[in-house]
Amino acid sequence: RFIQIIFLISLIIKSFERDTSGLIFVYEHVRHGARGPSSGYQSFFENGGDEYKVRWDLDGELSAIGKRQHYFLGVRNRLRYKNLINFEKYNPMEILIHATDYNRTHQSINSELLGMYGNFKEEELTQEEKNEYTMVNTKYLIESNPELNARITNELNLIGNQVNDKSIPIFNIRRFKNGRIFLVDHCTKLDQYRDQKVGATVRKLYDEFADKYADKFKSFFNHPQYFRDYNKMKSITDHFICDYDNKKDLSALVDAGINETEFLNFSKRFYGNFIFNWFIDDYTSGLESTHLMQDLLGYMDRRIEHKDEITYKAPKMVMDCGHDTTVGPIARYMSSAFNITYHEYCEFACNVYFELYIDAGKKSGYSVSYLLDDELLIERMDYKDFKEKMESKFWNDTYMSEFCGKEE
């Protein structure tokens, strides 16, 4: 029986490896990992405490669980894409990395990269380099503070020829180019469209909350006027998910007679409706995601052109770290363009992957697979057909301007 189990495991590993034969490019776009509640967007967060009497030392920062989620994805990438990239040696020409300008996204992508390159060690100094290099202007330090200089020298001697104590590479993380994300935030005409599309659904959710939870909330939450304020209800649901996913003490909710599992379901439906029907929908996902998806096709075209090279012009992998409001629109866009499913709540560390393969069996010679949270939704579609379907849903900039109006 033990031999049979080993044999089955070996078959699984072999099939896993076969999945990536011919792979020449990967694009990943991922939400940051689990975080604490945020005071942004008019949410309720007073003196470090949220609606559930849970205290947080920091505002909206990545948690230890969030870091672990991204480390998991990093190990996944290292195992799945080991035939595409040599993870034993970090090469900045092979990977292009973007993150939004938040601590939680930078910490998330760094955790993921450590899962990918954790086995990598920087090259050690040669004995000549170690003995002969000079730190600029050390003579002033030696003269002014010889004790400090001696302590520094002692620490450097302890690591021998290593470049630094951990020998972990510094990853080049860039900002997204302008006009890539959060485009709907500057669309002045969108609120009326949103109210017409989802206003009735939101009011039903308000009514459901009023019927099931409002009176019980009043026993520990002093702001019942927030129960029909959209931003405050986003706070009530989002902060509950933060606390729940980070395994915090939610006794205030339980003591009020509210079932945690049921309220989690409600919270995900409310917040999922915000992401996938209010922030964008099947139509406006084109407004939000067109520029990113144009970039994606550009990466693929350049990789095809330079498939036999390692060059800054055509990275083998692009990793973008954003938010539910960047991953969600891509998933909704793909659903609209290809008539496939999307997950109605974007969990922490939710992700999409696009894989480009050399594929002699396809008319273009290349194919694309698309995965949402590792669910394979498009498998080896001819690249030419994939590109045409993607482009059929693109919005041009003129139409975007007409649809949104000018910002006051």
Side-chain angles (χ1 to χ4, degrees):
R1 188 175 181 83
F2 177 75
I3 294 173
Q4 286 178 326
I5 293 171
I6 295 297
F7 178 69
L8 286 172
I9 291 173
S10 67
L11 285 179
I12 291 169
I13 292 172
K14 286 180 180 178
S15 66
F16 185 77
E17 290 178 347
R18 280 199 301 272
D19 283 345
T20 59
S21 59
L23 183 67
I24 60 170
F25 173 78
V26 174
Y27 173 75
E28 171 196 356
H29 196 116
V30 63
R31 183 189 183 190
H32 58 77
R35 56 162 169 79
S38 172
S39 64
Y41 302 104
Q42 304 174 46
S43 65
F44 178 86
F45 196 56
E46 292 182 352
N47 301 318
D50 65 18
E51 296 87 340
Y52 307 96
K53 314 301 181 189
V54 176
R55 292 197 60 79
W56 291 81
D57 294 332
L58 300 169
D59 183 345
E61 298 292 353
L62 195 70
S63 69
I65 288 175
K67 294 175 184 177
R68 182 61 172 247
Q69 288 172 324
H70 273 266
Y71 190 80
F72 175 98
L73 287 175
V75 173
R76 172 224 185 264
N77 291 345
R78 172 163 49 81
L79 296 177
R80 182 168 176 80
Y81 303 131
K82 64 182 180 181
N83 294 326
L84 175 68
I85 292 173
N86 176 16
F87 292 108
E88 298 294 323
K89 183 175 176 62
Y90 172 60
N91 184 341
M93 287 192 289
E94 293 186 315
I95 295 188
L96 175 63
I97 310 159
H98 299 112
T100 56
D101 196 18
Y102 291 85
N103 290 342
R104 58 181 175 266
T105 51
H106 279 257
Q107 290 181 345
S108 292
I109 203 68
N110 268 297
S111 293
E112 193 165 329
L113 288 161
L114 289 174
M116 294 162 65
Y117 289 99
N119 296 327
F120 169 72
K121 297 293 182 186
E122 290 190 281
E123 294 180 10
E124 292 190 353
L125 299 168
T126 65
Q127 197 60 40
E128 183 179 17
E129 288 171 331
K130 177 178 177 294
N131 293 338
E132 298 300 328
Y133 86 92
T134 55
M135 186 65 188
V136 177
N137 290 339
T138 49
K139 67 176 184 177
Y140 298 104
L141 179 63
I142 293 168
E143 292 173 2
S144 63
N145 198 334
E147 181 184 352
L148 175 60
N149 181 72
R151 289 169 63 188
I152 294 171
T153 302
N154 182 58
E155 286 205 22
L156 291 180
N157 288 336
L158 290 175
I159 65 171
N161 288 39
Q162 287 181 204
V163 173
N164 54 59
D165 187 28
K166 303 300 180 185
S167 287
I168 294 172
I170 301 299
F171 304 106
N172 305 327
I173 300 174
R174 297 170 169 81
R175 294 182 64 178
F176 285 89
K177 290 183 178 179
N178 291 335
R180 284 342 189 243
I181 51 178
F182 308 139
L183 301 188
V184 294
D185 286 344
H186 307 287
C187 190
T188 58
K189 292 181 180 179
L190 201 54
D191 281 346
Q192 183 178 353
Y193 172 88
R194 286 165 166 167
D195 188 57
Q196 290 172 347
K197 293 282 286 186
V198 301
T201 301
V202 172
R203 285 188 286 275
K204 285 181 180 178
L205 288 166
Y206 286 158
D207 291 341
E208 181 182 347
F209 182 86
D211 181 55
K212 293 181 178 179
Y213 306 113
D215 286 342
K216 295 175 180 177
F217 254 76
K218 291 175 186 176
S219 68
F220 67 89
F221 185 65
N222 299 322
H223 304 277
Q225 70 273 24
Y226 290 170
F227 297 162
R228 288 186 180 271
D229 180 303
Y230 198 47
N231 283 318
K232 301 301 183 185
M233 279 300 297
K234 280 160 50 187
S235 172
I236 286 169
T237 52
D238 174 63
H239 291 187
F240 174 76
I241 295 167
C242 290
D243 292 341
Y244 186 93
D245 282 4
N246 284 293
K247 310 304 176 188
K248 297 297 184 180
D249 178 9
L250 289 162
S251 55
L253 192 84
V254 176
D255 291 344
I258 297 174
N259 182 287
E260 288 183 69
T261 305
E262 289 180 3
F263 191 65
L264 180 67
N265 175 271
F266 173 83
S267 296
K268 288 185 175 181
R269 284 190 290 115
F270 190 97
Y271 210 83
N273 185 70
F274 158 64
I275 295 296
F276 291 108
N277 294 310
W278 187 87
F279 185 76
I280 51 90
D281 61 13
D282 59 337
Y283 182 56
T284 56
S285 62
L287 163 63
E288 180 64 25
S289 294
T290 287
H291 290 165
L292 268 183
M293 296 297 94
Q294 287 173 332
D295 286 349
L296 168 65
L297 297 180
Y299 297 139
M300 290 183 171
D301 286 341
R302 286 194 294 279
R303 192 66 217 140
I304 289 170
E305 182 183 354
H306 298 279
K307 63 180 180 296
D308 298 321
E309 304 173 52
I310 298 177
T311 170
Y312 288 113
K313 296 178 183 178
K316 293 181 178 181
M317 187 172 187
V318 176
M319 301 173 68
D320 286 352
C321 189
H323 308 263
D324 47 6
T325 48
T326 62
V327 179
I330 296 174
R332 200 75 160 93
Y333 182 89
M334 294 300 294
S335 172
S336 176
F338 294 89
N339 192 29
I340 53 179
T341 188
Y342 63 95
H343 301 168
E344 294 186 2
Y345 178 73
C346 193
E347 303 278 358
F348 291 120
C350 61
N351 53 81
V352 294
Y353 283 87
F354 295 83
E355 300 173 344
L356 176 66
Y357 294 87
I358 295 175
D359 198 330
K362 305 297 182 183
K363 59 187 177 184
S364 68
Y366 299 90
S367 64
V368 176
S369 291
Y370 164 69
L371 301 96
L372 172 60
D373 291 334
D374 263 321
E375 180 180 358
L376 183 61
L377 297 179
I378 296 175
E379 184 174 15
R380 299 287 183 117
M381 175 184 253
D382 179 78
Y383 177 56
K384 185 173 183 292
D385 294 340
F386 173 82
K387 188 174 182 179
E388 286 176 357
K389 275 188 170 289
M390 292 287 278
E391 291 176 335
S392 71
K393 291 287 183 178
F394 284 171
W395 289 36
N396 66 51
D397 289 347
T398 301
Y399 182 67
M400 286 183 187
S401 298
E402 291 173 354
F403 180 87
C404 288
K406 291 184 178 179
E407 220 176 342
E408 295 296 334

